[in-house]
Amino acid sequence: MGTSSNFGGMFSVAIASLFLPFLPMLPIQILLNNLLYDFSQATIPTDNVDVEYVERPKRLNVSYIRKFMLFFGPLSSIFDFITFFVMLYVFNATEPLFQTAWFMESLLPRHL
């Protein structure tokens, strides 16, 4: 999940950088976003595992992770591009407002 989210976010940054005269999100915002997301995942290692997985571990399915990342990463980018459009053409956002709005838009779905 983190891989697909990061892939989508960096894809959005790369595309937005081609069209915007400023950074779509500041580097400190990206780092803070990832740090907060990491905190929200901190309980995953304490989750109970099904007994079948403990008795006989299963192999990591890298193909499934790749497909998940390549589907949900660009899907999250679509929401990013909608946010970009709304901020630029509906709210006529300045650089700080744009960066803050996208920071919040990318932070909330990760945690919800």
Side-chain angles (χ1 to χ4, degrees), residues 46-110:
T46 63
D47 190 19
N48 291 329
V49 179
D50 293 337
V51 176
E52 305 88 57
Y53 283 91
V54 175
E55 290 174 353
R56 187 170 183 180
K58 299 196 182 218
R59 294 183 58 88
L60 180 64
N61 188 345
V62 177
S63 174
Y64 173 77
I65 295 171
R66 185 182 313 112
K67 289 176 187 174
F68 188 92
M69 179 187 77
L70 292 175
F71 178 78
F72 284 103
L75 182 64
S76 72
S77 292
I78 291 170
F79 288 100
D80 292 338
F81 297 141
I82 291 169
T83 302
F84 297 167
F85 178 82
V86 169
M87 291 308 298
L88 291 173
Y89 298 108
V90 174
F91 294 112
N92 214 8
T94 60
E95 180 178 343
L97 177 60
F98 184 96
Q99 292 166 336
T100 302
W102 188 40
F103 174 77
M104 294 306 295
E105 185 269 339
S106 64
L107 185 66
L108 290 176
R110 288 176 132 192

